[in-house]
Amino acid sequence: MAKADLSAKWLETPIGPLLVVASDTHLYAIEFHDEEAQPDPVLRVGRKLGAVIRMDGDSPALAQALDELRYYFLGKSAQFHVKLFYEGSAFERQVWEQLLLVPLAETCSYGDIARALNQPSAARAVGEANHVNRIPIIIPCHRCIGSDGSLTGYGGGLWRKKWLLRHEGQMRPVGLFAEGF
């Protein structure tokens, strides 16, 4: 997969604009953007990925990711089927794959993930893997909380983490007679 062939578009959401970056076949990154002065986010993300990013380019994976994110923010679906491209250490990849198993509107602790990986003393390392997750929301690191139930650390800010968890709580079907059953 040639990293030089990445396209990006901005997506306006209730939690601020997101920069969504993909190749023709895979989603590479979702980045939160705040209004305060920062270096050009497209250049910054390009440097992180080691790639040149074309703004307003088109690709099937980018279109799919944007559509799936729009449905998510509308509260219509939390199903993501776009193929993901994520680089990281073997441990980071294991953490991200565990996060993909956390059901909608549920949470786990960093320790829960560490124990699931048979590394019970690695809760801090799980937190670090969450911190370097380039595909937030879809790889739901916002669902990881402190062992005492507190909201701790989130690259997009704790207010976004809280918003995402509340949003997902409203999306989750409840009981046998919930819509969709």
Side-chain angles (χ1 to χ4, degrees):
M1 206 172 307
K3 283 190 176 183
D5 297 332
L6 299 180
S7 299
K9 287 192 178 181
W10 288 102
L11 177 65
E12 290 298 324
T13 75
I15 57 173
L18 299 178
L19 182 64
V20 182
V21 181
S23 68
D24 281 343
T25 59
H26 289 75
L27 177 65
Y28 272 68
I30 296 171
E31 179 150 313
F32 300 108
H33 182 66
D34 292 310
E35 299 306 319
E36 65 260 5
Q38 296 182 12
D40 180 342
V42 177
L43 292 176
R44 187 180 65 248
V45 172
R47 278 194 291 269
K48 282 184 192 176
L49 294 173
V52 174
I53 299 172
R54 293 184 327 253
M55 276 308 296
D56 293 321
D58 277 321
S59 80
L62 182 59
Q64 181 179 359
L66 290 167
D67 285 345
E68 290 176 353
L69 286 164
R70 283 185 193 102
Y71 279 114
Y72 173 84
F73 282 107
L74 288 171
K76 295 183 181 218
S77 175
Q79 298 294 314
F80 295 101
H81 302 289
V82 65
K83 291 180 184 175
L84 307 178
F85 181 86
Y86 45 92
E87 292 179 307
S89 70
F91 179 79
E92 289 166 344
R93 292 175 61 84
Q94 289 175 334
V95 168
W96 300 331
E97 288 162 9
Q98 281 296 307
L99 287 169
L100 288 167
L101 300 175
V102 179
L104 176 71
E106 291 187 20
T107 58
C108 63
S109 72
Y110 300 94
D112 291 337
I113 298 285
R115 285 186 292 280
L117 298 176
N118 294 317
Q119 297 188 40
S121 63
R124 284 184 191 264
V126 169
E128 259 315 297
N130 280 1
H131 179 70
V132 297
N133 172 18
R134 291 189 180 136
I135 310 174
I137 302 169
I138 294 176
I139 297 177
C141 53
H142 61 279
R143 295 181 190 157
C144 210
I145 61 173
S147 60
D148 62 358
S150 63
L151 296 185
T152 59
Y154 190 61
L158 287 180
W159 72 271
R160 284 189 177 105
K161 185 173 194 166
K162 187 176 189 177
W163 190 96
L164 291 165
L165 290 170
R166 284 187 173 163
H167 177 65
E168 290 182 356
Q170 294 169 348
M171 291 171 63
R172 183 175 184 170
V174 180
L176 291 174
F177 303 105
E179 281 187 48
F181 279 90

